[in-house]
Amino acid sequence: MLLFSEYFGINKDQNDLNFVNINLESDNKLFVDPRLIDINPLFKNYSNSISLFWCSLLETRKSKSFKKSEYLLKGLKEPKETMLGYGNGRNGKSIAEILRNKLIYSINSNENFINGLTKSLSDLEFFIKDISSDRLSDMTTKIVYEDLILFTQEQCVRYNITMFYSLQEYFDFNNFKWINKRVLLPHYQGKPIVLIPKQIVNSESKSNRNLSIFYRYAIKMFVLFDEDINKEIEGTGKDGKILAKDIKERFPLTKDLIMKWNIKYPTLLIDFQSNYFSSYINCLSDSEIVEIVCRKKHDAA
DNA sequence: TTAGGCGTACAGCTTCGTAC
DNA sequence: GTACGAAGCTGTACGCCTAA
């Protein structure tokens, strides 16, 4: 294991660094979480960029501009330079290559998007199959890539790290275009590195539990009180009371189901995010980040 | 054929409800 | 008030599908 700080001669621990002190020799199972960006005022710029990008994507649906949708999504390739997520560097699959058509189809046909029941990019993971923490992280990273490059350059200046020019693609919000530009970045084995602020990353387990939490909330706060649905179910509780487990058995968790419930209960997602989910959105501690980055040491052994 | 990535099942822990 | 069982929550491991 070779940490970024070790390679570049920074004599500091994760607690003293503003960025994720990545392991340069393998993947770091950390994910950029757009919800952490939204709640942290330090990253207002990032949050604005994500909102703007998301609104533009929805706008292409209204104007039926499929080519523009394709254009916006084509730049959301896996950012290998961050070395976060699954399998960076070898067989990483980009959102642009695999899911572009599915995303465009969903945005144009899914009632949750058509009727404005989804408010942000992060909601994609609830309603579109094959979109989970990793791809959401990739998309978010690419949308705010210019800011991340600037952040990396600031850190390099602070710690006196030599940077080299490399060609990087990012979204230019002034002209609303993907552009390729030569930018200065630190290099490891000839490859550029982009640093990620430590306050916006989450762990694999925390990122992947969101759908389950939403499912449970929907049952507890909406489905259990839905007389139409309850007519179909035989309760196993005392005096035939319908329990959450009865609902779960009758309606196993799928993204299609979540999509249907969100249409059936139009306030479900808003209630969930404003009243309940906010308590689950916490950034990782320094020790948790270190544990995840160092865990790879054991996996690789 | 291999490995990444997602979905899901399950184990273990915590919380809640009921009976005494 | 306490003990015990049921239900709920969270983290993790595994299986399946798909792309390289």
Side-chain angles (χ1 to χ4, degrees):
Chain A
M1 182 179 71
L2 179 63
L3 295 174
F4 181 90
S5 61
E6 292 168 354
Y7 182 73
F8 289 99
I10 307 169
N11 192 21
K12 288 189 184 295
D13 295 330
Q14 182 64 71
N15 329 10
D16 303 315
L17 298 168
N18 290 331
F19 55 86
V20 178
N21 194 13
I22 50 171
N23 176 5
L24 295 170
E25 291 186 330
S26 65
D27 308 325
N28 301 268
K29 279 196 180 175
L30 289 163
F31 302 89
V32 175
D33 187 337
R35 294 184 180 92
L36 288 173
I37 291 175
D38 286 338
I39 61 162
N40 192 329
L42 284 175
F43 301 99
K44 186 81 184 154
N45 272 358
Y46 294 30
S47 179
N48 288 344
S49 297
I50 294 165
S51 300
L52 200 54
F53 192 91
W54 177 241
C55 289
S56 305
L57 203 53
L58 293 182
E59 195 58 39
T60 62
R61 181 187 60 75
K62 286 181 196 161
S63 59
K64 299 198 185 306
S65 176
F66 297 108
K67 286 208 165 175
K68 190 158 183 203
S69 310
E70 272 192 47
Y71 176 76
L72 288 172
L73 293 171
K74 86 171 179 122
L76 298 178
K77 295 166 189 161
E78 182 183 340
K80 296 185 178 70
E81 291 79 2
T82 63
M83 301 190 75
L84 300 189
Y86 298 119
N88 278 289
R90 285 183 298 165
N91 292 323
K93 299 160 192 170
S94 83
I95 186 77
E97 287 170 48
I98 302 159
L99 295 175
R100 195 187 305 162
N101 290 336
K102 189 182 276 187
L103 244 176
I104 293 170
Y105 175 79
S106 297
I107 288 168
N108 285 283
S109 61
N110 185 321
E111 281 186 57
N112 284 285
F113 298 106
I114 293 171
N115 298 332
L117 295 172
T118 56
K119 299 293 176 201
S120 68
L121 177 83
S122 47
D123 298 336
L124 287 176
E125 71 170 321
F126 294 139
F127 306 113
I128 301 184
K129 209 168 172 287
D130 299 329
I131 299 270
S132 185
S133 56
D134 184 46
R135 283 175 177 148
L136 202 55
S137 169
D138 289 349
M139 293 168 77
T140 307
T141 303
K142 282 304 282 187
I143 292 168
V144 300
Y145 204 54
E146 187 181 11
D147 288 316
L148 293 174
I149 290 170
L150 291 172
F151 172 78
T152 306
Q153 290 171 341
E154 281 167 19
Q155 298 303 310
C156 287
V157 169
R158 172 182 289 190
Y159 296 109
N160 207 19
I161 295 169
T162 308
M163 293 183 279
F164 300 92
Y165 277 107
S166 65
L167 198 61
Q168 295 294 319
E169 185 182 47
Y170 60 84
F171 196 72
D172 176 9
F173 281 92
N174 292 321
N175 299 303
F176 260 77
K177 280 184 176 173
W178 289 103
I179 59 168
N180 280 289
K181 199 171 173 182
R182 276 160 53 81
V183 296
L184 282 167
L185 287 172
H187 282 208
Y188 172 67
Q189 293 186 337
K191 291 178 183 169
I193 296 164
V194 170
L195 298 172
I196 303 292
K198 65 181 179 183
Q199 300 94 327
I200 65 169
V201 293
N202 224 330
S203 65
E204 184 183 24
S205 58
K206 283 188 181 174
S207 301
N208 286 336
R209 70 184 179 177
N210 297 342
L211 187 65
S212 311
I213 295 169
F214 187 36
Y215 173 63
R216 285 198 299 271
Y217 179 82
I219 290 174
K220 198 165 65 178
M221 304 305 288
F222 286 82
V223 183
L224 276 171
F225 302 100
D226 187 326
E227 288 181 6
D228 290 340
I229 285 185
N230 290 348
K231 273 184 216 160
E232 306 173 27
I233 298 169
E234 201 172 322
T236 61
K238 205 184 173 193
D239 301 327
K241 188 187 174 190
I242 294 169
L243 305 174
K245 70 169 185 173
D246 301 323
I247 307 274
K248 286 178 185 175
E249 200 169 307
R250 176 70 178 77
F251 300 101
L253 171 60
T254 63
K255 289 195 179 181
D256 280 346
L257 177 76
I258 294 294
M259 197 170 71
K260 283 176 192 160
W261 281 355
N262 199 52
I263 294 164
K264 188 171 169 64
Y265 315 114
T267 61
L268 169 59
L269 186 61
I270 297 163
D271 283 3
F272 172 68
Q273 288 177 334
S274 53
N275 301 331
Y276 188 75
F277 194 43
S278 51
S279 62
Y280 287 89
I281 305 170
N282 303 303
C283 60
L284 296 175
S285 66
D286 291 316
S287 58
E288 285 174 316
I289 292 174
V290 170
E291 195 186 321
I292 291 165
V293 169
C294 294
R295 198 182 293 162
K296 288 307 295 179
K297 184 179 162 183
H298 304 298
D299 293 351

